[in-house]
Amino acid sequence: MLRPAAVVGARALAGTLAVLLVASVLVFGLVRSAPGDPVDVQLGEAGGVGLSRSDIDRIRTERRVELGLDRPLPEQYVRWLGRMVTGDWGTSYVSGRSVRAEVLDRVPASLVLAVSGFAVAVVLAVGLALLASRRPGGPTDQVVRLATLATVAVPSFLLGTLALQVATAATGYRIAGPATAGRIWLPALVLGVAVTPTLSRVLRASLIAERGRLYAVAAQARGASAGRTLLRHVLRPALAPALTLGGLAFASLVTGSVITEAVFSWPGVGRYAVDAISAQDYPVVQAYVVLATALVVLVNRGVDLVQRLVDPRGDARAEAVA
Amino acid sequence: MRLLDSARAGAGTRLRERLRDRARPPGRALVVAGSVLLALVVLVVLVAPWIAPFDPAAQRVGPRLAPPEGEHWSGTDRFGRDTASRVLHGGRQTLLVTAATMAAVVAVGVVVGTVIGLAGPRGDDLGRRVVDTVVAFPAVIVILAFVGLRGPSLPAVLGGALLVWWAPFARLTRALVRAALAEPSAVTARALGASRLHLLRTEVRPRLVGPVGVLVAVETGQLIATVAGLSFLGMGAQPPDPEWGAMLADARGAALSSPHLVLGPGLAVLVTVLALTCVGEGLRDLLDRSTQVVRP
Amino acid sequence: MRRVVVLVGVVLLVLLGACGTGPAAPDSGGEGGLALAVSKINAALDPAESLTTSYLRSFGAGESLAKIRPDGTVAPELAESLTATAPGTWTVVLREGATFHSGAPVDAEAVRASLERSRVLNELAADLVEEVTFDVVDPRTLTATTAGPSPYLDATLAHYELQIHNVASYAGLTAPATTADLTGPFRVTAFAPEQELTLERNPTWWGQAPAVDTITVQQVTDPEARAQIALAGQADVVDLLPPSAVAELRTAEGTRLQGAPAANTVAVYLNPSSPAAPALADQRVRQALAWAVDRAAVAEIAGEGLTGAAPSWLASNPAYPQADEQGFTRHDPALAARLLDEAGWVLGPDGRRAKDGAPLVLRLQTWGTEGPTGEVLQAQWDSLGVTVELSYVDNALVQQARERGDWDAQTAAFTTLGNVANLFAVQMGADGSGNYGRYDLPQVPALIERASAAATAEERTAAVLELNALHTEVVPAIPVHPRPQATAVSARVGGFVAHPLQYENLVQPGYTLDG
Amino acid sequence: MTPALTVRGLTVDYRGAAVLDDVDLDVAAGEVLVVLGGSGSGKSTVLRAVLGLVPAPGRVRAARLALAGGRGPIDLADPRARRRARGDRIGLVFQDPVLALTPLRRVGSLVREAGADRSGVEPLLAASGFGRPAAVVDRRAFTLSGGMAQRVGFVLAVAGGPDVLLADEPTTALDGPARVELVDRLRERAAAGTAVVLVTHDVGVAAALADRVLVLDGGRVVESGPTARVLGAPAHPTTRALVRDVPWALPPRRRAPAKGPAVVRVRGLTKAHPGAGAVLDGLDLDVAEGEVVGVAGRSGDGKTTLLRCLLGLERPDAGELRLGGVDPAAEGWAAVRRVVQLVPQDPRGSLNPWRTAAQQVADPLDFHRIGDRAARRVRAMELLDAFGLGGLAGRRPTELSTGQCQRVAIARALAVRPRVLLADEPASALDVTRQAELIELLTAVVAEHGTSALVVSHDLHVLERLCDRVAVLAEGRIVEDLPVGRLRADAAHERTRALLAAHPTDPLAAATA
């Protein structure tokens, strides 16, 4: 089906926006249905200073008006959405800083970690998949298989904690600190190792499947060596299913390496979100969830595009495997 | 993550036959080993009240932070509670609640996936987009947000899991339903006049059971690991519940001086997840289909 | 093929780039540098921001006019002297030649401007100095006047919400401040909000120059990570360590565990009008629960021995040693059982207490660092026949439950140091924000009046102790133990003095560094 | 003359089960050797063994596997030599040309990889039948149609200028005219001095092309010799069955077209697929009561779309339908399906693998709520008995042979006593013996049950044996519509003539004369 690129693009954009809008309503509604009042959160520790209850009530009312919390919910939502779109993501209740500044402070660290972790995973997964798919069921395949199985079974927090203990004792690894090259290798490795098994398994399966197809046999019948058959014939079609998986893995790495960031005190956005959630820092939670959704949707779209480039056969086939 | 699954329904794949087929040893061995391990874990956990040497909540039944020796062969924690008893009792809760959650998740996912799979092209496109987004969404974040709203507890974690965990099942089910309906036998049945219900019952269901079973095994393992991870962050089970993740979190500070505190619950999580993963992987092998979800 | 090679190459380069620089040296700022790993750094450097301003004080950057000493008494700090010159008037004399970090002089006008700015911008500060008027007498002298007697005004002026800062440096701010202009022994040189803060010695400080050249402060929110940092010796001072790591830290080489009990009493607040636990309406039940607490055991297990028993609410205030003799000075399960029997809650065959078929059950909510305390209390009350449903929740849920009145028991820890009369008003006054159970005791207003306005210190102290005794009789809250505050200090740091206020325990001007 | 390829004592077994047993084979330069055999005879394994491409658990042994020719002898038993010989000295044409092309590669790049230099690509493509080769060079393989893929596949096999050209059932997936084209190409190669080994089950192709024929059965050579001798006077029963059961050897149908009222009436049926343009373009068609009508056409001419529209699996863009007296637009497809049933293309694939034969035969009764449970069961057993499947009622498709599956599928279609049967390429997935059985069976069923039938196929031989009337579909409409007896004599349209030319009355005549 050939449609003008502009139409396709516009439709994709509209779909993306629709998903984002729905997500924003959900996020707003969910957060507002939470117990407790944002103002309580701000006043949380104030009791210790010695305020009387009437003082607290007075301050609470003032703050509510200040934050617009006395308005009807739909109005609050529209105002909030307008501010989100224009880049004013509100002020953190906890720190009093602009949420945008706080998030943007932390995004690079998360991004770098996600990219590095993903790179580790890709290298490991491709290597293992190539190794394992050489002789399906052979000894190498079995060893790789068992190793990945065992890795899947180790929860990432356990893996991270152990790695941190060992690295600290062995190399003087800095347990906490800024997002520097000296610190990234360990969480990147842990993340990468955690993502590798699923990735390599899909790649292995699709390599084996594509290798068994007639065209691969045909290539060899025409004199292509095993290596050439792999690289020039089999690899590209085999990549498609792994790409989908990889894209989703990447999206969740950027937004969600919460546990790893926590274990390694990595100053990223995942850890920040956890802190905000437990502190009921509503503007931060709202902004974070909307941003994470946007990112996931965008990465999904990006993966679609890349996949179309890598394998232009289109949806019919992608659907058959995915 | 979250993140995706692929499956094609196989015409005439019969698991029982594949299991009997001795020419495919790796899948068989994995399923058998995993099942035995899992059965063992379940058995031990079920009879925990009778075999656990102490009340898991009773403090100072022994010296505090005692190393594994004598009466407390697995050592005690810093409240002087018996580690083995806590690991055994903790499993009861973990396994029961996870199983219940998984049942709900699978039911929701399969129903949603079937509805989307039966829908027309527009409904399918919309449904697929929504499901894909939910699949890609980091489960941990959603669960944490939910926990933030409801307060940290095991039910809150599992409630949050319910919000997102259905999606991989819906995705898989949708793909399987569509693939099954495209099979020549389904097309022929339709042309002969079969109703949708009949198609779902005779054409779709048999092609669904295997791959969904694989996903259930793998995802249950992941759910247990995630619940443990969240308890580890202090978001899940609350003291003095002997949940494995919470025990691990509590033991983190003392990992070097009292390794037994980490070893017990750590091994419990590891063995359970490993058993489930083995079963899932083995079944996948036997079905010769790939189905998975990434959750870093 | 070539594309594949290039791709693999790029990936490898990225990886090498990531690993290439290798592990960095530990975070100690060199020979004369002090490294801190703390649970929280401020988001902004404005001392008029409520609450977070305490961190400026923790890191040695800010000062108030006065300071509370480890024994609970008040001493002048930035002020040379604070004197009560009349029942409602205090005279403050400033130090000769004191300057802000920027070099501007700390004169009476600057101090007044600072206090007024805090009053305007900071609600908590406003509350502290609500009825106080500051007047400049001469460049080194100002007076603080109140309508009635104000015997505790020196303690109030010692509060971290009233740190003295150079108002001119903060004028016209549109965004949160990223620089600080205060008077402390150290001044801020770099600041990454909620991540990192670096300071250097303030050469113009009025006191004896500190031995420490520079300080780097790292925010590490995860308590376990802080424990590991302390164990690995990657920081010199690490605060708020988790009790679970205490055993390990005790035996660790190169670091000393400091555990001064805080002037904060962890208490279990009880709701006498709880719909779910009507037994709590009975004073005997509340007393029974209090007598059944084995405080030594709680302090040992939950506090890892870093704290002791608090038999009464005021017991954690070092200025009132008499309070240690009041209240629940012993573990008396027999008395507890008798009180419950008298109240009609008798032991059933199943080992549980019940009255008219209703079991004695209460829900105990804990939050923050009080989880282990709740766990031990649960076990202790369980052996009394009382079933405790424990939940570990966060602050917002605690507050919400309180708003609704739908709670039985909650742990909380209030400061006991400072304006003690006011603190009791908060705890026991009908309108006190810490009077969660809304106890309305007729004797309290008169006692508070005596405690805050009686002519002599002896009379005031007697009234305070009477209030404390009343607290132990009515038991709106069961005092358990002072909040333990585990701080790890590396062996190379000398001059550490434990202080009942946690924020005074981090950077002390008297630190010395060897090695 | 020295043979270009010599095979002696070739034996292949999979885990002990022999697939080939002591096969000898020679083929000289310029000679065409056809290896003939039914499914499972091991004929394809011969080619794979020569190239060393027998999949993993298979074990190959041979006394001699050697190549001779202008570029010197090569011992194919040596893996390295064999690998060098692939493509360069031996070319292979595959059975399914679409699947044998790497889908994402461009045609030009594949041809160059196969041994052509840059300037040689377009002439090669032109020589194998592409009118405008430049347009094909940059297309990715997956965008090619079946016919184009077959031509490209042939180019890839010969691009290296091999001494020996192997062809593995290359005609199976092709319709008549395409088959003729490929046979011509192979003949050209042989004339140019290439030794050709063709593996097939199609005696027609063998007769058209072979110098010598070698018949395989159960992995053994059962007969070999000159084409005229082997096909004209087959000595072995296997060969005899292959020759006897071909559709053209069956008695032709001789019945005047019925003149009853139309049970199938199609008017102006139009259907366009997005991106592919009009597939059906105002098609008109009638089937009279009791009549069997065949729709012939080449692949891609819209036969499948027509059938899907008639089955309600696709919604036409325009046009009127009346099936079995029912208008689906007014009364719904359920009412249509009550009287119109389908005889599927792939009998095994069309049966539910988890249900027994009896259950499946009773299913349509269940769908249309005809009778009660017991009555349905009785009817199913009757039908199964009538088709000689009485003892197999409880079996599932995996436990039935293909022929038995075929009969279950037809019995199922008859369960509701339909007025019309629609048959989709009913013979194309079967070997000749099964085809003969099917033709006989369908003919009997139509006569006995008095149903009408519409049969869609590309095989004119089959339609000639099965139908009263044949309509030819081309470019989305019916271009020819003749009683079967007049077809060969009176066909006017060029597409009909091309189809007839590809299906001569007796393909063996040329070889055995």
Side-chain angles (χ1 to χ4, degrees):
Chain A
M1 170 155 36
L2 298 168
R3 262 179 289 152
V7 176
V8 176
R11 279 180 59 120
L13 192 68
T16 311
L17 287 179
V19 171
L20 285 179
L21 206 65
V22 171
S24 74
V25 174
L26 287 180
V27 169
F28 186 84
L30 260 174
V31 168
R32 278 307 151 87
S33 71
D37 186 301
V39 176
D40 290 338
V41 176
Q42 286 179 281
L43 293 175
E45 299 163 52
V49 184
L51 295 183
S52 72
R53 205 174 295 120
S54 56
D55 286 334
I56 289 184
D57 286 342
R58 177 179 47 76
I59 296 171
R60 178 178 293 137
T61 314
E62 285 169 13
R63 287 274 182 93
R64 286 183 62 87
V65 174
E66 205 177 295
L67 294 169
L69 294 173
D70 54 335
R71 313 257 174 169
L73 272 182
E75 189 189 328
Q76 289 187 41
Y77 168 73
V78 172
R79 285 168 52 160
W80 169 73
L81 191 67
R83 286 200 309 270
M84 281 301 293
V85 172
T86 53
D88 171 10
W89 300 346
T91 310
S92 159
Y93 294 158
V94 171
S95 72
R97 292 182 68 216
S98 141
V99 172
R100 194 169 64 150
E102 299 223 316
V103 169
L104 292 184
D105 269 1
R106 290 164 173 83
V107 162
S110 279
L111 213 58
V112 166
L113 180 58
V115 170
S116 323
F118 193 62
V120 172
V122 167
V123 169
L124 286 178
V126 170
L128 289 177
L130 288 178
L131 214 62
S133 67
R134 281 164 72 104
R135 278 197 57 210
T140 320
D141 190 22
Q142 300 294 3
V143 168
V144 169
R145 162 53 126 348
L146 287 178
T148 50
L149 266 181
T151 316
V152 171
V154 183
S156 60
F157 69 90
L158 212 57
L159 189 68
T161 313
L162 287 176
L164 185 62
Q165 298 266 5
V166 171
T168 308
T171 69
Y173 179 82
R174 263 182 74 181
I175 294 155
T180 55
R183 264 172 49 71
I184 199 170
W185 60 276
L186 197 56
L189 210 61
V190 169
L191 270 186
V193 167
V195 179
T196 300
T198 25
L199 220 50
S200 76
R201 184 173 51 209
V202 172
L203 202 54
R204 166 189 171 274
S206 75
L207 274 173
I208 291 173
E210 293 295 328
R211 250 184 191 161
R213 289 190 198 282
L214 189 62
Y215 72 80
V217 179
Q220 286 188 303
R222 290 197 297 270
S225 64
R228 188 174 178 86
T229 306
L230 178 69
L231 288 176
R232 294 288 282 138
H233 293 264
V234 170
L235 191 61
R236 194 160 155 186
L239 270 179
L243 261 177
T244 313
L245 194 75
L248 296 181
F250 182 68
S252 78
L253 280 188
V254 175
T255 55
S257 41
V258 174
I259 290 174
T260 306
E261 285 189 2
V263 169
F264 290 95
S265 302
W266 189 255
V269 83
R271 172 79 209 171
Y272 174 61
V274 175
D275 288 344
I277 286 166
S278 49
Q280 310 240 312
D281 198 342
Y282 294 84
V284 175
V285 176
Q286 282 175 335
Y288 172 76
V289 177
V290 171
L291 288 178
T293 314
L295 189 90
V296 167
V297 173
L298 286 179
V299 169
N300 260 350
R301 286 272 156 275
V303 169
D304 280 357
L305 277 179
V306 173
Q307 195 154 28
R308 213 153 284 173
L309 282 178
V310 169
D311 190 345
R313 274 173 295 179
D315 299 335
R317 191 184 159 282
E319 213 158 278
V321 265
Chain B
M1 293 227 175
R2 95 123 76 209
L3 325 204
L4 53 155
D5 41 301
S6 51
R8 255 184 329 164
T13 305
R14 297 187 67 206
L15 188 58
R16 228 178 305 153
E17 284 163 20
R18 299 269 186 145
L19 267 173
R20 255 185 254 128
D21 181 359
R22 298 194 169 266
R24 303 174 141 262
R28 249 174 64 88
L30 279 176
V31 172
V32 170
S35 307
V36 168
L37 208 57
L38 191 65
L40 216 67
V41 169
V42 170
L43 186 78
V44 164
V45 158
L46 281 182
V47 300
W50 295 278
I51 59 169
F54 295 92
D55 177 352
Q59 298 181 0
R60 316 197 86 166
V61 294
R64 303 178 56 222
L65 288 173
E69 58 187 25
E71 192 187 17
H72 298 281
W73 51 268
S74 61
T76 61
D77 68 4
R78 65 194 191 87
F79 292 92
R81 296 178 296 211
D82 185 62
T83 308
S85 307
R86 288 177 65 71
V87 170
L88 288 172
H89 276 270
R92 261 171 102 73
Q93 185 173 5
T94 306
L95 294 188
L96 272 176
V97 187
T98 323
T101 311
M102 222 46 213
V105 158
V106 173
V108 171
V110 167
V111 168
V112 170
T114 307
V115 168
I116 298 175
L118 290 175
R122 284 194 170 196
D124 179 54
D125 190 51
L126 182 74
R128 200 176 44 134
R129 265 174 202 237
V130 170
V131 171
D132 277 358
T133 308
V134 179
V135 168
F137 211 85
V140 173
I141 290 297
V142 177
I143 298 174
L144 281 177
F146 193 76
V147 169
L149 303 181
R150 296 273 158 265
S153 70
L154 204 52
V157 166
L158 293 162
L162 204 53
L163 285 181
V164 280
W165 226 282
W166 57 271
F169 289 93
R171 191 184 158 107
L172 176 70
T173 304
R174 175 202 158 272
L176 290 171
V177 167
R178 293 190 84 81
L181 291 179
E183 287 284 330
S185 62
V187 173
T188 309
R190 214 181 125 203
L192 294 176
S195 64
R196 278 186 175 183
L197 206 66
H198 180 90
L199 290 178
L200 284 182
R201 201 162 48 82
T202 60
E203 299 289 339
V204 176
R205 196 185 56 186
R207 294 184 168 97
L208 208 60
V209 172
V212 169
V214 171
L215 198 60
V216 167
V218 174
E219 291 292 288
T220 306
Q222 289 304 303
L223 185 61
I224 289 177
T226 305
V227 168
L230 287 166
S231 293
F232 184 76
L233 287 183
M235 298 286 173
Q238 298 305 317
D241 274 1
E243 202 276 331
W244 293 339
M247 290 176 70
L248 278 170
D250 213 36
R252 191 141 74 107
L256 288 181
S257 58
S258 310
H260 64 274
L261 291 180
V262 179
L263 211 62
L267 270 180
V269 174
L270 203 110
V271 168
T272 312
V273 179
L274 185 68
L276 282 162
T277 316
C278 281
V279 172
E281 279 284 300
L283 284 178
R284 194 203 308 271
D285 253 22
L286 294 176
L287 292 169
D288 208 10
R289 302 281 173 265
S290 49
T291 28
Q292 64 281 300
V293 170
V294 169
R295 278 185 214 294
Chain C
M1 178 69 216
R2 210 172 51 209
R3 267 176 297 171
V4 175
V5 171
V6 170
L7 186 75
V8 169
V10 168
V11 169
L12 284 177
L13 277 180
V14 169
L15 279 179
L16 279 177
C19 315
T21 40
D27 198 16
S28 302
E31 295 274 302
L34 190 73
L36 267 66
V38 301
S39 62
K40 190 95 178 142
I41 293 182
N42 15 355
L45 293 183
D46 191 341
E49 294 272 349
S50 58
L51 296 173
T52 64
T53 180
S54 68
Y55 304 121
L56 283 170
R57 178 139 193 138
S58 308
F59 309 143
E63 292 171 321
S64 302
L65 290 171
K67 175 189 170 90
I68 293 176
R69 286 200 290 232
D71 63 1
T73 61
V74 183
E77 191 177 30
L78 183 59
E80 194 175 88
S81 70
L82 285 105
T83 346
T85 42
T89 306
W90 287 74
T91 301
V92 179
V93 179
L94 299 173
R95 291 185 190 274
E96 175 92 65
T99 60
F100 290 107
H101 293 150
S102 61
V106 181
D107 56 23
E109 187 50 50
V111 169
R112 198 189 64 81
S114 167
L115 291 166
E116 291 300 339
R117 182 171 180 273
S118 296
R119 194 211 299 269
V120 171
L121 296 178
N122 180 342
E123 282 139 0
L124 305 180
D127 194 72
L128 289 170
V129 293
E130 200 176 358
E131 286 149 5
V132 186
T133 319
F134 297 103
D135 295 297
V136 174
V137 177
D138 63 53
R140 275 188 62 202
T141 315
L142 70 165
T143 57
T145 324
T146 53
S150 54
Y152 304 102
L153 192 66
D154 55 347
T156 301
L157 291 176
H159 204 283
Y160 57 78
E161 297 287 358
L162 296 174
Q163 286 174 87
I164 304 304
H165 53 288
N166 184 7
V167 173
S169 297
Y170 293 91
L173 276 180
T174 53
T178 51
T179 55
D181 194 5
L182 292 91
T183 63
F186 296 93
R187 59 185 185 196
V188 175
T189 51
F191 171 56
E194 296 184 315
Q195 289 183 30
E196 203 173 39
L197 187 68
T198 57
L199 305 100
E200 63 177 11
R201 177 173 29 210
N202 172 15
T204 62
W205 191 50
W206 51 265
Q208 191 191 353
V212 172
D213 297 327
T214 58
I215 300 174
T216 51
V217 190
Q218 188 92 55
Q219 171 170 311
V220 182
T221 40
D222 181 9
E224 300 296 339
R226 288 199 299 278
Q228 288 177 43
I229 287 174
L231 282 169
Q234 292 183 5
D236 296 309
V237 180
V238 184
D239 76 344
L240 295 180
L241 293 158
S244 58
V246 163
E248 199 144 313
L249 281 161
R250 276 231 172 81
T251 56
E253 275 175 38
T255 189
R256 285 165 294 154
L257 193 67
Q258 307 288 347
N264 255 17
T265 302
V266 173
V268 180
Y269 288 75
L270 301 171
N271 183 7
S273 43
S274 162
L280 294 176
D282 192 329
Q283 184 165 305
R284 287 168 297 185
V285 173
R286 300 200 296 269
Q287 288 174 347
L289 290 174
W291 284 114
V293 174
D294 182 352
R295 289 175 177 71
V298 181
E300 184 208 333
I301 301 176
E304 288 292 341
L306 294 174
T307 186
S312 70
W313 187 75
L314 198 57
S316 63
N317 184 330
Y320 293 87
Q322 309 95 312
D324 293 348
E325 310 303 320
Q326 290 180 298
F328 312 97
T329 49
R330 61 181 192 282
H331 174 214
D332 198 339
L335 175 55
R338 203 166 64 238
L339 281 165
L340 285 178
D341 288 341
E342 280 171 23
W345 297 92
V346 290
L347 212 52
D350 57 349
R352 308 283 85 193
R353 284 183 187 270
K355 181 178 177 177
D356 306 331
L360 184 46
V361 178
L362 61 94
R363 296 166 296 169
L364 173 59
Q365 293 178 310
T366 70
W367 70 284
T369 53
E370 266 106 54
T373 300
E375 271 194 73
V376 181
L377 287 178
Q378 181 192 36
Q380 293 186 352
W381 285 335
D382 189 78
S383 55
L384 188 67
V386 180
T387 305
V388 179
E389 290 166 9
L390 183 64
S391 63
Y392 186 78
V393 293
D394 71 17
N395 188 23
L397 285 161
V398 169
Q399 294 202 38
Q400 191 200 28
R402 244 183 251 148
E403 289 296 316
R404 291 196 188 139
D406 184 18
W407 62 281
D408 308 337
Q410 295 177 333
T411 59
F414 274 83
T415 302
T416 55
L417 204 54
N419 185 341
V420 179
N422 192 24
L423 292 172
F424 265 115
V426 166
Q427 293 294 309
M428 301 173 73
D431 188 35
S433 62
N435 184 357
Y436 298 142
R438 313 211 169 180
Y439 296 84
D440 190 1
L441 307 170
Q443 344 41 335
V444 167
L447 279 171
I448 287 173
E449 178 62 26
R450 266 176 57 206
S452 59
T456 66
E458 286 72 29
E459 280 176 69
R460 294 197 295 268
T461 301
V464 164
L465 292 174
E466 228 172 292
L467 277 166
N468 198 39
L470 183 64
H471 189 274
T472 59
E473 185 194 331
V474 177
V475 204
I478 301 167
V480 184
H481 58 75
R483 184 183 268 176
Q485 35 184 30
T487 305
V489 180
S490 74
R492 74 189 190 111
V493 175
F496 179 90
V497 180
H499 196 287
L501 297 174
Q502 172 70 20
Y503 60 84
E504 300 282 9
N505 274 323
L506 296 181
V507 173
Q508 300 177 6
Y511 277 167
T512 57
L513 292 177
D514 37 276
Chain D
M1 196 163 67
T2 50
L5 175 68
T6 310
V7 175
R8 288 283 174 275
L10 180 62
T11 301
V12 177
D13 63 308
Y14 284 89
R15 297 205 171 96
V19 178
L20 287 181
D21 187 6
D22 197 20
V23 171
D24 295 347
L25 180 156
D26 292 308
V27 60
E31 186 190 31
V32 179
L33 172 72
V34 170
V35 178
L36 207 54
S39 45
S41 62
K43 57 188 189 300
S44 290
T45 308
V46 173
L47 302 188
R48 294 218 164 197
V50 167
L51 283 168
L53 290 174
V54 172
R59 215 151 48 97
V60 181
R61 278 165 300 160
R64 184 166 157 72
L65 257 181
L67 212 59
R71 285 180 275 172
I74 284 183
D75 179 9
L76 292 174
D78 170 15
R80 299 184 55 175
R82 187 170 62 205
R83 201 159 60 223
R84 264 182 277 118
R86 287 182 199 155
D88 193 31
R89 302 286 299 273
I90 317 176
L92 178 60
V93 179
F94 284 87
Q95 173 178 6
D96 190 329
V98 174
L99 292 183
L101 295 179
T102 306
L104 297 176
R105 292 281 295 278
R106 293 179 199 280
V107 169
S109 140
L110 283 173
V111 176
R112 284 198 299 278
E113 190 188 64
D117 52 32
R118 194 168 287 274
S119 59
V121 173
E122 293 196 11
L124 267 169
L125 287 169
S128 87
F130 281 106
R132 287 175 48 223
V136 184
V137 168
D138 281 331
R139 282 178 71 170
R140 292 189 191 276
F142 74 94
T143 66
L144 302 177
S145 70
M148 293 162 96
Q150 176 250 313
R151 289 175 192 160
V152 172
F154 186 81
V155 168
L156 294 180
V158 300
D163 302 326
V164 177
L165 184 60
L166 310 177
D168 182 12
E169 305 225 38
T171 59
T172 311
L174 305 178
D175 61 19
R179 193 161 60 215
V180 171
E181 184 190 325
L182 181 71
V183 166
D184 288 345
R185 290 280 113 71
L186 289 170
R187 199 179 284 126
E188 282 167 26
R189 296 306 303 185
T194 309
V196 176
V197 180
L198 175 74
V199 155
T200 186
H201 68 264
D202 185 339
V203 275
V205 170
L209 200 59
D211 295 317
R212 279 193 301 126
V213 174
L214 185 146
V215 182
L216 274 183
D217 186 41
R220 289 168 179 274
V221 179
V222 294
E223 190 165 3
S224 72
T227 311
R229 214 265 303 140
V230 174
L231 295 184
H236 194 271
T238 305
T239 324
R240 278 208 294 275
L242 284 172
V243 174
R244 184 192 62 220
D245 290 342
V246 286
W248 60 82
L250 300 176
R253 189 169 170 90
R254 295 276 175 246
R255 214 180 74 166
K259 288 279 181 269
V263 286
V264 173
R265 200 180 122 90
V266 180
R267 284 294 173 274
L269 189 66
T270 302
K271 174 77 190 177
H273 283 160
V279 182
L280 298 179
D281 188 12
L283 178 140
D284 300 337
L285 186 68
D286 286 305
V287 178
E289 184 87 55
E291 191 182 28
V292 181
V293 175
V295 175
R298 295 198 58 181
S299 314
D301 272 340
K303 296 194 305 289
T304 306
T305 307
L306 169 65
L307 204 73
R308 288 180 65 87
C309 285
L310 295 182
L311 288 167
L313 298 173
E314 258 179 64
R315 190 178 303 187
D317 300 335
E320 287 169 33
L321 288 179
R322 212 171 165 78
L323 300 158
V326 181
D327 176 6
E331 294 163 69
W333 280 102
V336 174
R337 288 167 181 157
R338 170 73 180 75
V339 289
V340 178
Q341 293 271 291
L342 170 73
V343 176
Q345 172 174 13
D346 169 9
R348 188 180 292 280
S350 75
L351 294 176
N352 183 312
W354 296 277
R355 291 171 73 72
T356 64
Q359 281 175 328
Q360 310 215 40
V361 172
D363 270 344
L365 298 167
D366 187 19
F367 301 158
H368 298 288
R369 304 211 159 72
I370 298 169
D372 58 15
R373 188 181 290 256
R376 292 172 196 160
R377 172 106 191 134
V378 169
R379 169 86 177 134
M381 295 310 292
E382 277 173 20
L383 280 164
L384 286 172
D385 278 338
F387 282 90
L389 297 166
L392 308 175
R395 291 217 186 159
R396 295 186 171 80
T398 44
E399 300 152 341
L400 296 171
S401 71
T402 306
Q404 289 165 337
C405 286
Q406 180 75 58
R407 280 179 278 161
V408 171
I410 292 173
R412 177 168 65 161
L414 291 172
V416 299
R417 303 180 203 279
R419 295 183 62 192
V420 184
L421 287 177
L422 299 178
D424 177 16
E425 301 269 12
S428 65
L430 310 173
D431 63 27
V432 283
T433 308
R434 297 283 100 70
Q435 282 187 355
E437 282 174 22
L438 175 88
I439 290 168
E440 193 183 342
L441 189 65
L442 266 185
T443 307
V445 158
V446 170
E448 193 178 317
H449 295 258
T451 63
S452 311
L454 182 73
V455 183
V456 167
S457 177
H458 67 257
D459 191 336
L460 218 47
H461 286 304
V462 170
L463 291 181
E464 278 182 310
R465 264 77 206 158
L466 212 50
C467 303
D468 304 329
R469 189 154 61 83
V470 172
V472 177
L473 180 60
E475 285 142 9
R477 33 176 95 224
I478 301 296
V479 296
E480 192 84 61
D481 189 348
L482 288 170
V484 72
R486 287 168 50 203
L487 188 64
R488 291 204 178 256
D490 297 352
H493 197 271
E494 50 158 330
R495 294 296 281 274
T496 319
R497 301 240 60 95
L499 277 173
L500 287 169
H503 296 90
T505 318
D506 183 4
L508 292 191
T512 52

